[in-house]
Amino acid sequence: MLVGVKTMDIQYKKLTYAELDEFINMRIAQLTEEYISTGRTVPEGVDLKLSLKDYYERHMTDGTFVSWLAIDGDKIIGTSGMSFVEKPPYFTCPTGRLGLLSSMYTNPDYRRMGIARELLHRVVEEARAYGCGAVHITASDMGVKLYTAYGFTHNGNFMQYRLDV
């Protein structure tokens, strides 16, 4: 055994309601890191915890959200998420079913060890099993290399219009 090298026994499991609060905290950490990495300031007074909990509980219950977690001992060290939506079929997605990838986050101490790739693979397979014809993601700068290496391609047509609620 090499001296100074930590031996890890990373386990992978689907998200359950028991891990939901910690999952939500990691989602907020991910969003915060992405905001800061692009030079933006995280908006003050926006508390996402209740909204995220409501979203995940509803969509885990109806089967339109699934997540895989990476766990080291009793600590969640990586997350992934896939939401399933349906829209009218089109040429590159004849089923009309889409997977929307989100919540890809790995604890900084565990990055560059293949954990994110394994989590990505597991949720992509969930989308395949659900009958999705495509998976979409809005990738952070940090994630682009992972997604490109996995086989994702850029779609220059993606645009967004923000509706203030």
Side-chain angles (χ1 to χ4, degrees), residues 36-159:
I36 292 169
S37 73
T38 59
R40 296 179 288 177
T41 303
V42 176
E44 289 184 34
V46 178
D47 184 0
L48 294 176
K49 285 187 179 185
L50 289 176
S51 297
L52 286 169
K53 188 163 190 145
D54 174 63
Y55 176 87
Y56 293 130
E57 285 177 346
R58 284 185 295 113
H59 292 283
M60 286 169 67
T61 299
D62 73 10
T64 58
F65 178 80
V66 66
S67 168
W68 278 87
L69 307 174
I71 300 173
D72 185 13
D74 60 356
K75 179 181 177 183
I76 298 173
I77 51 105
T79 63
S80 64
M82 186 71 70
S83 299
F84 303 118
V85 298
E86 191 168 356
K87 58 191 266 185
Y90 53 100
F91 289 123
T92 57
C93 184
T95 67
R97 291 182 178 182
L98 292 173
L100 302 178
L101 184 61
S102 67
S103 306
M104 290 295 298
Y105 183 75
T106 304
N107 177 307
D109 295 337
Y110 292 83
R111 291 183 180 163
R112 312 232 18 104
M113 298 179 180
I115 294 166
R117 181 168 174 54
E118 180 64 26
L119 290 169
L120 175 61
H121 179 70
R122 288 173 184 252
V123 291
V124 166
E125 290 306 308
E126 294 281 351
R128 187 182 320 281
Y130 193 82
C132 294
V135 172
H136 291 186
I137 185 171
T138 303
S140 68
D141 290 343
M142 191 172 16
V144 169
K145 287 181 182 179
L146 168 69
Y147 305 125
T148 302
Y150 194 83
F152 282 73
T153 57
H154 288 277
N155 180 348
N157 293 329
F158 179 79
M159 296 179 73

